[in-house]
């Protein structure tokens, strides 16, 4: 299947831990994103990468560090997790139209 | 930057009735306006989009209208069915790879 995939689907962890979310797209898109969806369903851009280069970095704590090893992958590493980081994180990619992954539900206890 | 307002936040309709969701945007440079449907536990899925060179687009029971002068666009769903129940998001952005700015979503409930 051609799609945006991300792992894990669920992530439950303690405050202060470090965790990573992986994302891969096989659509051949040049641009990849991370969006955060809070408990009120509000979708907000975090990062945008084009051909492995960071294009957009919204006001996101520097505990969040994206890494793009190649055009098809954009991983998100989060250090020192806080309660407020609990949300659903969506990876997406685009050429003209943005396609979203299934989301990673992060719960910080 | 772009700001997108979406109304209503919740909408309940009887099966078979029509549903209308409205959005406004602020940046006149925006020229791409997609609509996404998000079902429970899933990522947003594109259902229809419109670009600024057209005023209306239709795909079966779904239609979108755009008024660039007034900076607003709307989603129309006719003959609603229970499977239309979901959260719908409008978005606006410039063409190319500029990230979209999303509205806050509308939770549509279709009552059988």
């Amino acid at each position: 299947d051609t799609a945006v995939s991300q792992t894990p689907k669920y992530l439950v962890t303690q405050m202060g831990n470090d965790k990573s979310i992986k994302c891969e797209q096989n659509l051949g898109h040049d641009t990849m994103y991370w969006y955060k969806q809070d408990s009120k369903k509000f979708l907000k851009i975090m990062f945008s990468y084009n051909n492995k280069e960071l294009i957009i970095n919204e006001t996101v704590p520097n505990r969040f560090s994206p890494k793009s090893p190649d055009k098809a992958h954009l991983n998100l590493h989060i250090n020192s997790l806080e309660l407020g980081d609990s949300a659903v994180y969506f990876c997406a990619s685009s050429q003209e139209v943005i396609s979203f992954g299934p989301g990673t539900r992060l719960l910080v206890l | 930057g772009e700001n997108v307002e979406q109304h209503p936040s919740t909408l309940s309709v009887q099966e078979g009735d029509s549903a209308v969701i409205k959005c406004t945007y602020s940046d006149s440079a925006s020229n791409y306006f997609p609509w996404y449907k998000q079902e429970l536990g899933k990522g947003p899925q594109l259902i229809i989009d419109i670009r600024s060179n057209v005023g209306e687009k239709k795909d079966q029971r779904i239609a979108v209208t755009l008024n660039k002068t007034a900076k607003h666009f709307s989603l129309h769903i006719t003959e609603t069915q229970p499977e239309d129940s979901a959260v719908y998001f409008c978005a606006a952005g410039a063409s190319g790879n500029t990230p979209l700015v999303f509205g806050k979503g509308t939770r549509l409930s279709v009552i059988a």
Side-chain angles (χ1 to χ4, degrees):
Chain A
D1 286 343
T2 54
V4 181
S5 59
Q6 52 184 111
T7 55
K9 186 170 182 179
Y10 299 96
L11 188 50
V12 182
T13 189
Q14 297 287 332
M15 254 191 333
N17 284 351
D18 302 338
K19 290 293 179 185
S20 292
I21 307 172
K22 294 186 176 181
C23 178
E24 177 181 5
Q25 55 97 3
N26 61 5
L27 298 163
H29 291 168
D30 290 331
T31 306
M32 295 187 72
Y33 313 85
W34 278 105
Y35 278 84
K36 179 180 180 180
Q37 187 172 48
D38 62 22
S39 58
K40 295 183 179 178
K41 297 290 189 183
F42 186 45
L43 271 166
K44 189 170 180 184
I45 183 73
M46 297 174 69
F47 301 102
S48 168
Y49 269 71
N50 185 264
N51 279 317
K52 295 169 41 181
E53 289 191 20
L54 180 65
I55 302 297
I56 289 174
N57 180 352
E58 291 293 315
T59 309
V60 176
N62 57 13
R63 298 181 295 103
F64 290 78
S65 52
K67 285 195 171 46
S68 183
D70 55 57
K71 205 173 80 166
H73 295 84
L74 180 61
N75 304 323
L76 183 65
H77 189 76
I78 316 170
N79 289 327
S80 303
L81 278 156
E82 301 178 357
L83 294 176
D85 298 332
S86 296
V88 183
Y89 292 84
F90 287 102
C91 179
S93 71
S94 74
Q95 199 69 14
E96 285 290 329
V97 172
I98 292 182
S99 299
F100 284 87
T104 295
R105 285 137 192 88
L106 171 64
L107 177 60
V108 183
L109 302 174
Chain B
E2 178 63 273
N3 182 50
V4 177
E5 298 285 338
Q6 181 172 347
H7 299 280
S9 56
T10 60
L11 179 59
S12 291
V13 298
Q14 292 289 331
E15 183 178 1
D17 287 351
S18 295
V20 180
I21 303 170
K22 298 183 179 183
C23 289
T24 60
Y25 62 99
S26 61
D27 189 348
S28 56
S30 290
N31 57 10
Y32 177 59
F33 308 93
W35 287 87
Y36 285 81
K37 175 183 180 182
Q38 186 177 21
E39 296 177 324
L40 192 62
K42 297 184 179 180
Q45 297 292 314
L46 179 71
I47 56 172
I48 195 167
D49 57 10
I50 191 168
R51 296 184 189 273
S52 58
N53 56 346
V54 298
E56 185 173 357
K57 185 176 177 181
K58 191 173 181 180
D59 182 4
Q60 299 183 342
R61 296 186 297 108
I62 294 172
V64 58
T65 59
L66 170 65
N67 183 328
K68 281 220 75 176
T69 303
K71 294 197 185 74
H72 64 71
F73 56 114
S74 300
L75 177 72
H76 304 251
I77 306 173
T78 58
E79 301 172 30
T80 53
Q81 300 165 5
E83 50 266 39
D84 294 330
S85 296
V87 180
Y88 290 81
F89 292 94
C90 64
S95 59
N97 296 315
T98 306
L100 296 171
V101 176
F102 284 81
K104 292 190 175 181
T106 296
R107 186 177 298 278
L108 173 64
S109 299
V110 180
I111 303 163

